[in-house]
Structures are given as C-alpha cells and as structure tokens.
Amino acid sequence: MLKGVNKRIIEVCETGNEYFEKVLLFVSPEHSNISESKLVKQAQRYVELIKKSDSLSGLYNQTRKPIPRRQLLIGVVVCAIVLIAGMVLYNLR
C-alpha cells in the first residue's frame, strides 16, 4: 500500500518484509516531472523486485567458513612455484 506521493519522495508502507515496515524512494531530479501515477507504478514494480530478490537471497546467503591461514599460504606458494616454473620454461625457448 502506498501512503503518499510527493514530487520527490514516494513512501511505501506495505513492504511484505517482517524486518522493514516502510520504504522511502527518492525520485531523481530528472524524473520529478513524470506523472504521479507512473511514479506510483514504478515504485510498486521496484518493491516487488525487492520482494522477489529477498526470497531468493536465502539460496545465496549461506555462511562461508574462512580459509585457514596454512591452506592459504600453501596455495600462494604453489601458485608462485608454477608461475616461476612457467617463466623459466618460457625463457628457455
């Protein structure tokens, strides 16, 4: 539900999210002359887009374990050795 529309700000009161009760959308100055109905429609589309992306975020929002320092160091050393060996072999040609 939209509470009100101003020339510069659109306030959306129904977000469909338990954490956020309203959304404020600030209209960019170059689009402030667009009709109120078109701004309302765009605001509704944008909030729906946020709702859809929020429902998908659970798929990607898994906690990642940090790589242990020892494994990271071994990986860096192996990459350096491969890089140096490649440079040496390239120069032998």
Side-chain angles (χ1 to χ4, degrees):
M1 165 181 265
L2 293 171
K3 183 176 181 185
V5 176
N6 191 328
K7 282 185 176 181
R8 303 246 180 213
I9 300 172
I10 299 175
E11 182 178 4
V12 181
C13 294
E14 285 293 324
T15 64
N17 186 300
E18 64 182 286
Y19 298 104
F20 305 106
E21 60 185 53
K22 64 174 100 172
V23 177
L24 296 176
L25 298 170
F26 294 84
V27 179
S28 59
E30 62 268 9
H31 294 102
S32 62
N33 59 351
I34 294 177
S35 70
E36 184 176 314
S37 61
K38 190 167 184 173
L39 288 174
V40 168
K41 186 183 278 189
Q42 289 297 322
Q44 290 170 335
R45 290 170 104 191
Y46 189 70
V47 170
E48 286 302 315
L49 181 69
I50 292 171
K51 286 180 187 178
K52 288 178 184 176
S53 67
D54 188 38
S55 65
L56 295 175
S57 67
L59 299 174
Y60 304 105
N61 197 12
Q62 299 172 355
T63 56
R64 296 172 66 186
K65 295 180 183 176
I67 299 172
R69 285 186 134 196
R70 186 174 182 175
Q71 283 183 336
L72 187 60
L73 182 61
I74 291 170
V76 168
V77 169
V78 168
C79 287
I81 291 170
V82 168
L83 180 63
I84 292 169
M87 289 171 58
V88 167
L89 290 175
Y90 181 76
N91 285 334
L92 290 178
R93 284 185 174 182

